[in-house]
Amino acid sequence: MDIYKYLNSRDVAKHCRQLNWRFNALEMAFIINDCKTLPLCEKHRLYAEIMDIMPDVSLSKHFQQIGCEASFFETLRVYIDKEKQLLNKIKNGGQDKVYTYVFHNENDDEHFESRELYPDYKTAVKKMYKDIYAWLEDKPDLKYYGTVIMHTLGKRSTYDVLFDQNGNIINISGNYNTECDDLFELFWIYIPVPFKKGDILVTADKSQLRRHRMVLKSVCYWNYPEEKLAHRSERGDSSDMTAYGYWVDESAHLYDECLHDYHNLEYYTGEINGNDRVLKAVSACIQNEIDIAMLLIAYEAVLNERIMKNTFPGWDYLKECYQNAGISDIYEKRELIKNYERKKYGTKYFIY
């Protein structure tokens, strides 16, 4: 089995392939479960293949105490059966169940939510795809993701069924429900990544509604000795697969945070513009391409540009009004900026 192709990040997959990194059966199943492009039925088939070609993994008493069998394969078989039962439950519904849906394109430029409740699963799926096909009429090559959500009346519990553009079920998840707990959330596994401090990264999971760029500070396993890696594998879980970094918010202010799937990051290779120019400056400073003074200049420049643009109302005044107010020179400078951005970025010049 070519396990590398199921890693979500192209850069992590390339790195592991170059290292010829060997994963055991549990680690391979973790990667299959985490893959964002595999239909659920294909995941089940690949689990079976792993159990055919790989030796079993013995789970420690720690995992047995939280509900696992001593054999990982036995634990996995139980999990597969539970997922199949859960999907049948969602499809069959009941008198206290209603359904909604949401879908968005791959780049998150457009995002739609249903405004109606539907009495059964089939009706919600059919209506979702009717809306999707109408939306895609003039953009047939656009990729999208859709989610049908089952609600229980009078309760906060929900189940989400994620679909890809081919109508395949990719994943099932839920809130406030122990019966759909993800087995693989119990495990921490080591996946080597090629990144270094200061790299500008983005999550590879295009099914997420938001894929914000970040500047990497560290990855959880960096500088771990072998015994600490073994301990993390024994006692950690998937929430400990952290990468720490800097993000920038909608006001262009910098903040530090972490995410819990470091292995799903990849290099950001797109254009750096808008507020993200702050990240470019932070990255350059961390990697010693500029000094702290230049970082502060860049940060202040982006913030001040935003303040300048927000000074003017969206509906705007006539040019004569700026002349009468005595700031026609500022108006002309702003027009130069707008014309520059129209030429560089198209009709949607930047409005912060």
Side-chain angles (χ1 to χ4, degrees):
M1 177 185 294
D2 182 10
I3 191 62
Y4 308 119
K5 70 180 182 181
Y6 299 117
L7 287 160
N8 294 311
S9 168
R10 294 166 298 180
D11 298 312
V12 173
K14 180 180 178 181
H15 183 63
C16 290
R17 192 184 297 276
Q18 289 175 340
L19 293 175
N20 195 28
W21 193 260
R22 298 301 180 186
F23 296 103
N24 65 26
L26 188 157
E27 293 164 343
M28 291 173 70
F30 183 102
I31 291 169
I32 294 300
N33 175 75
D34 193 55
C35 182
K36 307 304 180 184
T37 58
L38 279 175
L40 188 62
C41 60
E42 180 64 5
K43 290 180 181 180
H44 291 168
R45 187 192 70 78
L46 289 169
Y47 293 151
E49 182 177 339
I50 289 171
M51 288 187 281
D52 283 342
I53 65 174
M54 297 290 293
D56 197 357
V57 174
S58 296
L59 298 180
S60 68
K61 289 183 179 179
H62 167 70
F63 293 109
Q64 295 175 47
Q65 289 169 351
I66 54 179
C68 295
E69 303 292 336
S71 159
F72 171 66
F73 286 173
E74 286 303 312
T75 303
L76 183 57
R77 291 187 183 99
V78 171
Y79 179 69
I80 293 170
D81 289 340
K82 187 174 73 170
E83 271 197 330
K84 291 178 178 178
Q85 292 170 12
L86 178 58
L87 184 57
N88 287 332
K89 177 179 178 178
I90 295 171
K91 290 181 175 180
N92 293 332
Q95 291 185 348
D96 62 341
K97 310 298 183 186
V98 292
Y99 298 81
T100 58
Y101 61 83
V102 58
F103 60 91
H104 63 95
N105 67 356
E106 186 177 53
N107 300 318
D108 193 28
D109 296 323
E110 295 180 282
H111 173 219
F112 300 90
E113 295 185 29
S114 62
R115 297 182 179 180
E116 299 179 12
L117 299 176
Y118 299 95
D120 59 77
Y121 174 84
K122 287 184 178 180
T123 302
V125 173
K126 183 177 180 180
K127 184 63 170 63
M128 180 179 72
Y129 276 100
K130 181 179 179 181
D131 285 353
I132 288 173
Y133 293 148
W135 172 55
L136 292 176
E137 187 173 358
D138 59 344
K139 38 197 167 190
D141 296 328
L142 189 66
K143 292 184 178 180
Y144 64 88
Y145 295 88
T147 303
V148 169
I149 307 160
M150 185 179 81
H151 305 264
T152 301
L153 296 176
K155 297 182 180 180
R156 292 186 177 183
S157 61
T158 62
Y159 293 105
D160 297 354
V161 182
L162 177 66
F163 293 83
D164 66 9
Q165 61 270 17
N166 299 315
N168 297 313
I169 294 174
I170 298 295
N171 189 36
I172 307 172
S173 60
N175 298 325
Y176 304 101
N177 293 287
T178 57
E179 62 183 291
C180 64
D181 287 345
D182 188 347
L183 166 67
F184 295 96
E185 290 181 356
L186 302 177
F187 303 114
W188 184 95
I189 72 168
Y190 172 60
I191 301 177
V193 297
F195 314 123
K196 65 181 183 300
K197 187 175 181 178
D199 286 342
I200 299 177
L201 307 174
V202 67
T203 178
D205 181 4
K206 295 181 179 179
S207 67
Q208 291 186 0
L209 288 180
R210 294 177 179 84
R211 301 177 64 232
H212 295 311
R213 288 160 285 282
M214 64 172 284
V215 175
L216 183 65
K217 285 200 299 184
S218 65
V219 175
C220 59
Y221 71 79
W222 283 358
N223 301 319
Y224 271 15
E226 189 171 335
E227 60 271 18
K228 193 168 183 178
L229 278 175
H231 181 267
R232 182 53 63 92
S233 297
E234 171 67 24
R235 291 288 176 176
D237 58 43
S238 65
S239 68
D240 298 312
M241 297 181 68
T242 44
Y244 303 87
Y246 297 104
W247 281 259
V248 63
D249 65 19
E250 294 179 355
S251 299
H253 290 100
L254 197 68
Y255 64 97
D256 62 335
E257 188 50 278
C258 68
L259 50 78
H260 303 278
D261 53 348
Y262 73 81
H263 56 292
N264 283 335
L265 290 168
E266 60 187 15
Y267 296 115
Y268 178 69
T269 57
E271 192 170 7
I272 302 291
N273 48 46
N275 294 345
D276 284 349
R277 289 171 294 176
V278 172
L279 295 180
K280 173 60 178 175
V282 171
S283 172
C285 185
I286 289 175
Q287 297 184 346
N288 296 317
E289 296 173 0
I290 61 173
D291 60 17
I292 292 178
M294 189 65 237
L295 167 62
L296 294 175
I297 290 170
Y299 193 23
E300 187 175 12
V302 174
L303 288 174
N304 286 337
E305 181 190 60
R306 179 182 174 81
I307 292 171
M308 182 274 293
K309 290 185 175 184
N310 284 341
T311 300
F312 302 95
W315 44 269
D316 217 346
Y317 286 89
L318 297 174
K319 181 179 180 180
E320 291 76 11
C321 295
Y322 289 99
Q323 292 172 341
N324 294 338
I327 56 171
S328 59
D329 58 328
I330 297 176
Y331 172 84
E332 291 172 0
K333 293 172 186 176
R334 186 192 66 156
E335 287 300 296
L336 289 173
I337 294 173
K338 288 171 67 175
N339 289 332
Y340 167 82
E341 292 185 343
R342 284 194 184 101
K343 183 177 179 180
K344 185 173 179 62
Y345 303 112
T347 56
K348 288 187 177 181
Y349 66 91
F350 282 101
I351 300 177
Y352 293 85

